[in-house]
Amino acid sequence: MNKDTAVGIVLIAMIIFSAGYAAGIHGLLYVGITVAIGMLALVLYSSKSKASKIGAFVLFPELLTKFLMPKSTKKAIKNLEKNEK
């Protein structure tokens, strides 16, 4: 195991423990379920089937805000991100 992997594991453990301490076990479960559903939606969206893409949007509707956002809004967000750096 290299140094980067060990640092990543420690960081993830610290994030999980701090979230569990701040939100309790129910908050930790809520965040975990939300992340798992989001990852499943991204896997479904990346497949070629139209039915799986629709399933991804039904499962995690926030994908719509990313992919169906007007170009002017996307451009404004990119400009704001550039200005922050």
Side-chain angles (χ1 to χ4, degrees), residues 32-67:
I33 289 170
T34 303
V35 168
I37 289 173
M39 290 174 64
L40 176 63
L42 287 175
V43 168
L44 286 173
Y45 185 78
S46 64
S47 68
K48 294 181 181 180
S49 169
K50 298 247 186 223
S52 64
K53 289 184 190 250
I54 292 170
F57 288 125
V58 167
L59 198 61
F60 208 73
E62 286 81 10
L63 286 172
L64 288 172
T65 60
K66 172 72 176 164
F67 296 108

